Amino acid sequence: QVQLVESGGGLVQTGGSLRLSCAAPETIVAINDMSWYRQAPGKQRELVAQMHQGRVTYYSDSARGRFTISSDNAKNTVFLQMNSLTPEDTAVYLCNMDARVSWSDARYYSLWGQGTQVTVSS
């Protein structure tokens, strides 16, 4: 099973910044959507930001103006730059890609990262 590899989480003070990265294997043939989700304790998973074929298509209300999603398509990598962080941003952040994993299989699969913890202290 293909898994995405995340990095960049950690502990930061209110007002600080973090940059998350998520890489898919180089063997991935094509990617449609690249997304970041987050899940806080006791809350449902929520979509934070999304790109479709390299174009930003969604920011949540809480992310808009503070977070920026971007990608390096040559490296099958998606980033989430998070600025002006508050304790309400504390969560496990997960990346997701809708990707074609093989030339011999035309289907697209939903791939997930392992999750990275972001903790913002007050």
Side-chain angles (χ1 to χ4, degrees), residues 1-55:
Q1 186 172 350
V2 178
Q3 187 166 34
L4 309 178
V5 178
E6 298 185 36
S7 61
L11 173 65
V12 65
Q13 291 186 332
T14 295
S17 298
L18 284 173
R19 188 183 194 224
L20 308 182
S21 300
C22 171
E26 293 182 356
T27 54
I28 292 296
V29 173
I31 301 172
N32 271 338
D33 295 329
M34 295 178 163
S35 308
W36 285 98
Y37 290 77
R38 70 184 183 185
Q39 187 160 20
K43 295 187 177 181
Q44 287 190 330
R45 185 174 296 182
E46 66 168 328
L47 178 62
V48 175
Q50 189 170 71
M51 301 182 72
H52 177 70
Q53 295 183 351
R55 188 168 59 90

Side-chain angles (χ1 to χ4, degrees), residues 45-86:
R45 185 174 296 182
E46 66 168 328
L47 178 62
V48 175
Q50 189 170 71
M51 301 182 72
H52 177 70
Q53 295 183 351
R55 188 168 59 90
V56 179
T57 54
Y58 177 83
Y59 285 112
S60 66
D61 288 343
S62 61
R64 193 175 300 113
R66 299 186 301 129
F67 295 1
T68 302
I69 186 171
S70 62
S71 66
D72 182 341
N73 294 327
K75 297 182 179 180
N76 290 340
T77 300
V78 62
F79 306 97
L80 186 68
Q81 176 67 42
M82 304 185 294
N83 299 327
S84 302
L85 287 162
T86 73

